[in-house]
Amino acid sequence: MSPSTANQNVSASEVLSAFGLQSIPEEIGHLVCCREPSWRTAFCGVQGDTINVAVKTICTMCVEQAETIWPGWWADPETFCPVDGQPCPDEHDIDQRIAWETGPPAP
């Protein structure tokens, strides 16, 4: 969900492999910065290769890490980014990024 402490060194394998798209409400979702160059690593450190658009439960460790970065963020997580305090992109921009991230891998 945010960028200024982002690691700008994204490997070729991360760029070339698309994420899988899921819709499984029972799974635990992990938080990532929506402006990061790579969505592979969640705030809690878990590595992922899928985007689940239907989660109802968020990883507690991700929320705790976001709160550590920006205390009070969880009171209204849709208002601003816990990494840089800037407004998060709107749903349309996030949907476009999800479509791009889950598209076919580059040739």
Side-chain angles (χ1 to χ4, degrees), residues 54-77:
V55 296
K56 294 184 180 188
T57 304
I58 303 295
C59 168
T60 302
M61 290 175 30
C62 283
V63 172
E64 288 174 353
Q65 183 61 33
E67 275 287 314
T68 299
I69 295 167
W70 198 289
W73 169 81
W74 187 244
D76 195 3

Side-chain angles (χ1 to χ4, degrees), residues 17-28:
S17 68
F19 283 88
L21 184 61
Q22 295 180 334
S23 183
I24 306 172
E26 300 80 30
E27 282 195 1
I28 294 175

